[in-house]
Amino acid sequence: EVHLLESGGGLVQPGGSLRLSCAASGFTFGSCAMSWVRQAPGKGLEWVSIISASGGSTTDADSVKGRFYISRDNSKNTLDLLMDDLRADDTAVYYCAKAVHLYIGASGYTYFDYWGQGTLVTVSS
Amino acid sequence: EIVMTQSPVTLSVSPGERATLSCRASQSVRTYLAWYQQKPGQAPRLLIHGASTRATGIPARFSGSGSGTEFTLTISSLQSEDFAVYSCQQYNDWPLTFGGGTRVEIK
């Protein structure tokens, strides 16, 4: 059974940093792209960042580019998100998600087949 | 970016009735569309991918249809465990984008 468990959320001041982690089990972690998706209070889901199976390629949403850094350790089956220069609008539940990445021709298409329960990040003074 | 718009925001349905949820894309996403179910405090759950393919273990009462810019999720006969928030996601283009969700509540 696939299991994704996020940790590291909490209260942080604007401009501060936080590292989220996701522990994965139940599948071949090193063969799967992984992603972070967030949901602000009362809002819809927002894709944040994705990392390839090997960790050699990452893509970020414009809203977090240059502030958030996704990484993974395939030897430990863990996914991380380092968040710097946090702002109030980064307040959200952050979900770790296992990606299904389809390669069709030269293009990639990604949806998410398993999600964690999320960890809450609150940015406030 | 492609904007996904879901309607209605809230749908009140009696158990056993049919629920029809809509998702519209601001430009064509072909059939690169997924649907997810969210319950409070639980992980989101993949229901449908490729606009109409049920994910593993999803009951047959859930069905998806549509292509291009207009999509529908139908729950043929609502069970008590189906009252939740449903979100669509396009994966035709980057950035990946989600709709704002439809809450299905008990009438």
Side-chain angles (χ1 to χ4, degrees):
Chain A
E1 181 186 0
V2 172
H3 193 56
L4 300 169
L5 182 63
E6 301 94 338
S7 61
L11 175 64
V12 60
Q13 292 189 336
S17 298
L18 206 60
R19 179 184 288 274
L20 306 182
S21 292
C22 172
S25 61
F27 65 102
T28 306
F29 182 75
S31 296
C32 299
M34 297 293 295
S35 194
W36 289 96
V37 179
R38 68 184 180 183
Q39 187 167 35
K43 302 292 186 182
L45 295 162
E46 179 189 14
W47 168 75
V48 172
S49 189
I50 192 166
I51 188 167
S52 64
S54 68
S57 175
T58 64
T59 306
D60 305 308
D62 285 348
S63 59
V64 306
K65 202 164 289 185
R67 299 188 301 122
F68 289 14
Y69 305 91
I70 190 171
S71 62
R72 65 190 296 160
D73 186 335
N74 286 349
S75 69
K76 297 181 179 178
N77 287 3
T78 56
L79 174 74
D80 284 355
L81 184 69
L82 174 61
M83 304 184 293
D84 289 333
D85 190 23
L86 282 160
R87 310 192 283 230
D89 61 1
D90 294 318
T91 294
V93 174
Y94 285 73
Y95 296 100
C96 164
K98 174 179 170 289
V100 177
H101 194 66
L102 309 173
Y103 291 96
I104 302 173
S107 300
Y109 302 91
T110 303
Y111 60 93
F112 307 107
D113 60 349
Y114 292 97
W115 301 60
Q117 293 194 325
T119 186
L120 176 63
V121 173
T122 303
V123 184
S124 175
S125 55
Chain B
E1 72 176 42
I2 298 175
V3 177
M4 307 300 292
T5 303
Q6 290 187 244
S7 61
V9 173
T10 303
L11 184 62
S12 297
V13 185
S14 299
E17 288 188 341
R18 172 188 295 259
T20 302
L21 290 67
S22 295
C23 174
R24 174 176 292 179
S26 60
Q27 62 190 77
S28 176
V29 299
R30 295 182 281 180
T31 56
Y32 294 112
L33 185 104
W35 288 95
Y36 302 92
Q37 178 192 66
Q38 267 188 292
K39 296 180 184 179
Q42 294 187 20
R45 177 190 183 195
L46 174 67
L47 298 176
I48 301 283
H49 60 90
S52 61
T53 302
R54 276 189 302 278
T56 303
I58 301 304
R61 64 180 182 273
F62 290 92
S63 63
S65 63
S67 65
T69 62
E70 300 284 343
F71 300 89
T72 300
L73 175 70
T74 302
I75 311 171
S76 60
S77 176
L78 271 158
Q79 306 298 301
S80 57
E81 62 268 29
D82 300 335
F83 292 96
V85 175
Y86 294 84
S87 299
C88 59
Q89 176 225 330
Q90 68 81 20
Y91 53 103
N92 183 72
D93 200 6
W94 295 85
L96 306 177
T97 50
F98 294 82
T102 291
R103 179 180 303 278
V104 177
E105 64 176 26
I106 300 174
K107 186 174 182 180

